[in-house]
Amino acid sequence: MHKTIDPKILYFGTPVVLISTINEDGTYNLAPVSSVWWINQSCMLGMSSKSQTVTNLLREGQCVLNLPSAELVEAVDRLALLTGKSPVPEYKIDMGYQYEGNKFGKAGLTAIPSDNVRAPLVKECPIQLESLVQKDHSFESPSAIKAFEMKIVTTHIDESILMDGGKSYIDPEKWKPLIMNFCEFFSLGPKLYPSKLAEPFTSKFYNN
Ligand SMILES: Cc1cc2nc3c(=O)[nH]c(=O)nc-3n(C[C@H](O)[C@H](O)[C@H](O)COP(=O)(O)O)c2cc1C
C-alpha cells in the first residue's frame, strides 16, 4: 500500500563530495555536498547560491571535487554547520550555522597543491578530481539553487583502491564511499549480485 506524501527533501542516498575552492582573498574554502551525479568525465552538482562555494565557483570557474571514504565521516561532520560566507545568511543563522575561515583546520584535513587548478586537493581523500566549470544554470525562482556542469581535467586516485595488476581503474570492492541518505551518513555493503553490465563495460572502457 503506497501513501501520497509531501516530503521536504528527496535525498535518496548519494556519495558525499568535499568541494575545495579559493576565496576572494586567496584562502581556501571546503564544503560538503551530496547533490552530485556523474557521467563520462563530467558531473553536475547542485548548491545553494547563498553558499561561499557558489560565489567562488562563479568567480574562479574551477575547484577540486574530493571524495571522502566512509572512514572520514567525522571530519566531514565537523564541517556540517559551517560556512565560509560572511555575513552568515539569515536562514543559516536560524539553523545554527557559523562562519569559519579555516575549514581545513576545523575538519582536521590537509590541503595540498593541485596540478592544474588553483584550489587544493584534500590529502586524506582517496579520490581527488581537479575540475573546471563548463556551464552554470539557475533553478526557477524562488529556488536559490545553482547547478554546475563540471569537467574533470585531472584525476588523482589512491593506489589502495585501484584494481590489482596495475590497471588504471577503481576496484568497486575496494572503494567505500561516504553516502548521505536523507541527511544521515551511511556507507555501502558488500557486492549484492553479479552485474551483467560489468563485463562488457569493463572491456570496452577500461582496457589498460
Ligand atoms: C553531507 C552533506 C551534504 C551536503 N550537501 C549539500 C548539497 O548537495 N548542496 C548544498 O547546497 N548544500 C549541501 N550541504 C550543506 C553545505 O555544506 C552548507 O551549505 C555549507 O555551509 C556550504 O559551505 P560554504 O557556504 O562555505 O560554501 C551538505 C552538507 C553536508 C554535511
Side-chain angles (χ1 to χ4, degrees), residues 2 17 24 26 39 59 71 74-75 80 84 86 99 110 150 172-173:
H2 289 67
V17 178
E24 290 89 336
I39 187 153
R59 187 186 59 256
E71 67 190 21
E74 288 175 36
S86 178
Y99 168 76
T110 317
M150 305 298 304
E173 305 223 40

Side-chain angles (χ1 to χ4, degrees), residues 15-23 27-38 43-49 51-58 60-68 75-76 79 82-84 100 102-104 107 109-112 114 117-123 125 127-133 146-150 152 178:
V16 174
V17 178
L18 295 178
I19 307 186
S20 52
T21 51
I22 303 271
N23 295 315
T27 57
Y28 300 150
N29 192 38
L30 187 65
V33 298
S34 58
S35 302
V36 184
W37 57 265
W38 308 87
C43 73
M44 286 296 295
L45 55 94
M47 265 202 105
S48 164
S49 58
S51 66
Q52 183 63 29
T53 300
V54 166
T55 302
N56 292 348
L57 283 172
L58 291 172
E60 293 273 321
Q62 50 175 248
C63 69
V64 180
L65 304 171
N66 304 274
L67 276 77
V76 173
L79 294 169
L82 301 178
T83 176
E100 178 56 56
N102 177 15
K103 294 222 217 146
F104 274 89
L109 295 170
T110 317
I112 57 171
S114 295
V117 298
R118 282 183 359 113
L121 311 175
V122 177
K123 183 176 176 218
C125 288
I127 301 178
Q128 305 145 340
L129 308 170
E130 299 181 29
S131 309
L132 302 179
V133 174
K146 276 267 188 198
F148 292 90
E149 178 187 332
M150 305 298 304
I152 315 306
L178 177 61

Side-chain angles (χ1 to χ4, degrees), residues 2-197:
H2 289 67
K3 191 172 169 185
T4 301
I5 63 166
D6 185 17
K8 295 283 176 281
I9 53 168
L10 295 168
Y11 297 169
F12 294 115
T14 43
V16 174
V17 178
L18 295 178
I19 307 186
S20 52
T21 51
I22 303 271
N23 295 315
E24 290 89 336
D25 62 1
T27 57
Y28 300 150
N29 192 38
L30 187 65
V33 298
S34 58
S35 302
V36 184
W37 57 265
W38 308 87
I39 187 153
N40 296 340
Q41 300 302 307
S42 300
C43 73
M44 286 296 295
L45 55 94
M47 265 202 105
S48 164
S49 58
K50 305 223 163 81
S51 66
Q52 183 63 29
T53 300
V54 166
T55 302
N56 292 348
L57 283 172
L58 291 172
R59 187 186 59 256
E60 293 273 321
Q62 50 175 248
C63 69
V64 180
L65 304 171
N66 304 274
L67 276 77
S69 58
E71 67 190 21
L72 290 174
V73 63
E74 288 175 36
V76 173
D77 197 46
R78 284 194 283 270
L79 294 169
L81 291 177
L82 301 178
T83 176
K85 182 72 111 191
S86 178
V88 178
E90 276 300 314
Y91 82 99
K92 281 193 170 169
I93 293 175
D94 294 346
M95 293 169 74
Y97 275 80
Q98 292 183 345
Y99 168 76
E100 178 56 56
N102 177 15
K103 294 222 217 146
F104 274 89
K106 273 279 169 183
L109 295 170
T110 317
I112 57 171
S114 295
D115 292 345
N116 296 301
V117 298
R118 282 183 359 113
L121 311 175
V122 177
K123 183 176 176 218
E124 292 80 3
C125 288
I127 301 178
Q128 305 145 340
L129 308 170
E130 299 181 29
S131 309
L132 302 179
V133 174
Q134 297 293 103
K135 278 186 191 166
D136 65 82
H137 165 84
S138 298
F139 277 38
E140 283 297 319
S141 67
S143 169
I145 302 292
K146 276 267 188 198
F148 292 90
E149 178 187 332
M150 305 298 304
K151 181 179 176 195
I152 315 306
V153 289
T154 311
T155 300
H156 306 270
I157 307 292
D158 190 300
E159 286 179 51
S160 66
I161 61 166
L162 289 178
M163 286 280 183
D164 294 337
K167 303 236 178 181
S168 73
Y169 56 93
I170 292 168
D171 185 339
E173 305 223 40
K174 294 179 182 167
W175 167 229
K176 296 282 170 262
L178 177 61
I179 304 287
M180 167 130 287
N181 181 13
F182 286 94
C183 289
E184 295 288 353
F185 292 115
F186 287 79
S187 187
L188 295 182
K191 184 161 82 174
L192 203 57
Y193 192 80
S195 158
K196 282 197 182 71
L197 184 65

